[in-house]
Amino acid sequence: MKKYLTPLVIIGVLVLLGLYYISVKNGAVTVSQAVSKEWGNVETSYQRRNDLIGNLVQTVKGAADFEKSTLTAVIEARAAATKVTIDPTNITSDQIAEFSKVQSGLTGALSKLLVSVERYPELKANQNFLELQAQLEGTENRISVARTRFNESVEAYNNYILKMPRNLFLGSYTEKAYFKADEGAEKAPEVNFDFK
């Protein structure tokens, strides 16, 4: 009986290590998929905004004397924003920075459009425009929530793959980048009511 005890213990330890390895790999797949899902939610929120902007532009075009350069800037920024895609399985900080830069351009053009609308009372009174503006505000909130949830899933993923002893088994998994605020976002915007 004693001569079988040592091989049985070795086999038992190997089986336990094998089960632990499978558990670690399956856990890594789960947290990696959570990051991909949350990134999909971020992209869905931005897509919703892009779709709403298209409708907003069409509504504003109805105001015949509206500044064409402002509309053109929004249309071009929207087109640029739809061209940038990111593979959620290999998210890098450079990719997120590029995505964020393009989306910031769209945000700036859209802000300029909404400020320009103030000079057009007939457009401000247009029910379609008002509904689209409210939808855009809600969508911006959704984008903020989606980015926060994405960062939370990245944190869970990074913690999972980097902590000992799992990191010994997960050498092929790399740390994922967080979605960061635009450069200069920490400064409060300057509000200037110049009615000259």
Side-chain angles (χ1 to χ4, degrees):
M1 180 72 174
K2 285 189 174 186
K3 70 178 186 176
Y4 295 117
L5 186 60
T6 303
L8 285 176
V9 169
I10 291 171
I11 290 171
V13 168
L14 290 175
V15 167
L16 288 176
L17 282 175
L19 291 173
Y20 180 72
Y21 177 78
I22 290 169
S23 173
V24 166
K25 283 292 197 174
N26 286 340
V29 169
T30 300
V31 292
S32 180
Q33 289 300 309
V35 170
S36 295
K37 177 188 143 250
E38 292 302 335
W39 181 252
N41 291 342
V42 168
E43 289 183 322
T44 299
S45 296
Y46 277 110
Q47 182 61 50
R48 175 181 164 79
R49 180 173 76 168
N50 287 340
D51 294 344
L52 285 171
I53 289 171
N55 293 333
L56 185 69
V57 166
Q58 292 305 319
T59 302
V60 172
K61 277 184 179 178
D65 59 345
F66 196 81
E67 293 107 6
K68 301 295 184 218
S69 63
T70 303
L71 282 175
T72 302
V74 171
I75 292 167
E76 288 172 358
R78 179 177 177 241
T82 58
K83 289 179 185 173
V84 176
T85 57
I86 294 178
D87 174 14
T89 59
N90 188 26
I91 294 175
T92 65
S93 56
D94 291 341
Q95 289 173 327
I96 290 181
E98 179 185 356
F99 183 85
S100 186
K101 179 181 175 186
V102 173
Q103 292 299 332
S104 293
L106 180 56
T107 300
L110 185 59
S111 296
K112 186 176 177 184
L113 172 72
L114 294 176
V115 166
S116 298
V117 164
E118 294 299 317
R119 292 189 292 252
Y120 296 87
E122 71 283 355
L123 187 56
K124 285 185 353 185
N126 181 311
Q127 189 61 36
N128 286 340
F129 179 80
L130 294 174
E131 287 176 19
L132 287 168
Q133 193 172 13
Q135 288 286 328
L136 275 173
E137 290 171 9
T139 299
E140 293 300 325
N141 288 335
R142 287 181 185 186
I143 288 170
S144 176
V145 168
R147 289 189 302 211
T148 299
R149 289 183 179 158
F150 169 75
N151 280 344
E152 289 168 354
S153 68
V154 167
E155 177 186 27
Y157 169 85
N158 288 343
N159 282 334
Y160 188 87
I161 66 158
L162 296 174
K163 285 185 177 178
M164 288 288 288
R166 289 188 295 257
N167 66 344
L168 299 173
F169 298 105
L170 299 173
S172 63
Y173 287 81
T174 58
E175 190 173 355
K176 294 190 187 286
Y178 289 95
F179 202 109
K180 295 182 181 169
D182 296 333
E183 195 171 314
E186 72 279 359
K187 298 174 187 160
E190 193 174 305
V191 180
N192 183 5
F193 293 105
D194 186 8
F195 295 110
K196 292 178 185 175

